Amino acid sequence: MASSAEPIGNQVHRSSCPTTDDERAAVLRELESILSSPFFHTSKRSKQFLSYVVQHRLEGHEEPLKERTIGKDLFQRPPGYATGDDPVVRVQAGEVRRRLEQYYHSTPGPSPVRIELPVGAYAAEFRWAVAESARYEPDPTESSPEESARVRTPLQGETGRRARKHQLVTRILSGVAIGLVLAAVLVESAVYRAGARKSAIDQFWSPVLGPSAPVLICLAKPTVYRPSADLYHRYSEPHAFSTESERLSQPPPLQPNDKLVWGDMVQYPDYGVAVGDVYAAIQLSALLGRMGKQSQVRIGNNYSFEDLRNFPAIVVGAFNNRWTMQMTSNLHFAFVEENGKQMIREQGPLGRAWSPKVGPHGEVAEDFGVVTRLLNSETGQFVVAAAGLLANGTQAAGELVSSQKFLEDALRTAPPDWTRKN
């Protein structure tokens, strides 16, 4: 690989592969420093990805790393899987580039080597710091200014000045012309991109639309108990609550002081999906159908961690869904329970907190939810979480990611490259 030099601050960086044991050791030390930093420490997949591409380069492999090879080795994809339908490698590479940029932006002090992952490639590059003095080595074929002055005649000096002035004017005019051409190209490119720009809802959902596998819509099913039929009969008038329909639609006539035993309650495994979760699942399923994407609804124990490894998924609900709690526990906004009170808390010592507000008759006056779109570092798959503190918050989260208008409003102040970020 040819070496190149690029000035950065008070140094010059040359790009080349390590050729000595000392250089290899420096790369490994830099890799260890990166992986132990806060930007990589919590992301298992990003650490594996960066270690993989760096080791591949250090081992002297000349052939370029292929997307399918990484997908097979790191993400357990079949050898012939369709990379166009499953962008997991491209997305993880973008995540690693983002974390590397954050690391070098926040890490003080010079480093003898900088590890980079260029856009459009999966091979790591190493940029080595070179002393500033190396930039100004004299050209032995050039004569010194004093020597040139001794042999230059007055006529030659005047001619040289006119030639340099002519060259300067020519360069200025050429620069202006090139600038005008570039400006025209940029304007035309911007107009074209504006016309071809995808809608907010297409950009948000594009990662789960790529893979050919269906999207799993995952709902929790908590344990539910109901009064037994004997309890209904014991506390009701004759012939009342004689059918299951009556027992499902009316409460038993119990008084606050009536005593029950545990045997009066019966577990019903067929009941218990939360109302807000159902509303959100219907909205999301309808949206995916309009976008031509197949989906499957999974409830309770009908999906597992292994399913989330193999399929893109939408996880609905918060405190009733263990996968939501597990996957969002380290995010900036997390669902927490403190002293029996459920809330959304912003991570950090000065983080804000949000709790639902309930009216005097138990009605929900205000609720809050969180929408999360991420590449799960544990599964390697895209996961969207739509979850609220109560049913209203979950339903609102489902509405947010199903509505073009709501998404446009929500993403209006997002950074320009939000599509490449969690």
Side-chain angles (χ1 to χ4, degrees), residues 5-6 48 68 77 92 100 102 116 125 173 183 213 224 244 273 275 291 294 352 387:
E6 175 188 348
Q48 290 176 334
R68 184 174 286 108
R77 299 300 193 263
Q92 188 62 59
L100 279 173
Q102 292 175 333
E116 296 182 351
E125 284 192 358
L173 292 176
V224 173
E244 179 65 7
V273 179
V275 174
M291 302 179 80
Q294 183 184 2
R352 297 163 291 173

Side-chain angles (χ1 to χ4, degrees), residues 53 98 111 139 171 173-174 186 190 210 219 232 235 254 267 279 294 315 321 347 372 388 396 407 411 413-414 418:
V53 297
R98 180 180 68 84
S111 173
D139 187 346
R171 288 174 181 173
L173 292 176
S174 298
L186 290 173
L219 284 69
Y232 277 100
Y235 286 93
L254 296 172
Q267 183 178 348
Y279 280 127
Q294 183 184 2
V315 183
N321 197 319
Q347 304 283 27
T372 303
L407 267 181
L411 296 170
T413 58
W418 68 265

Side-chain angles (χ1 to χ4, degrees), residues 368-379:
F368 300 92
V370 172
V371 169
T372 303
R373 191 194 75 154
L374 51 82
L375 175 67
N376 190 299
S377 61
E378 297 295 326
T379 66

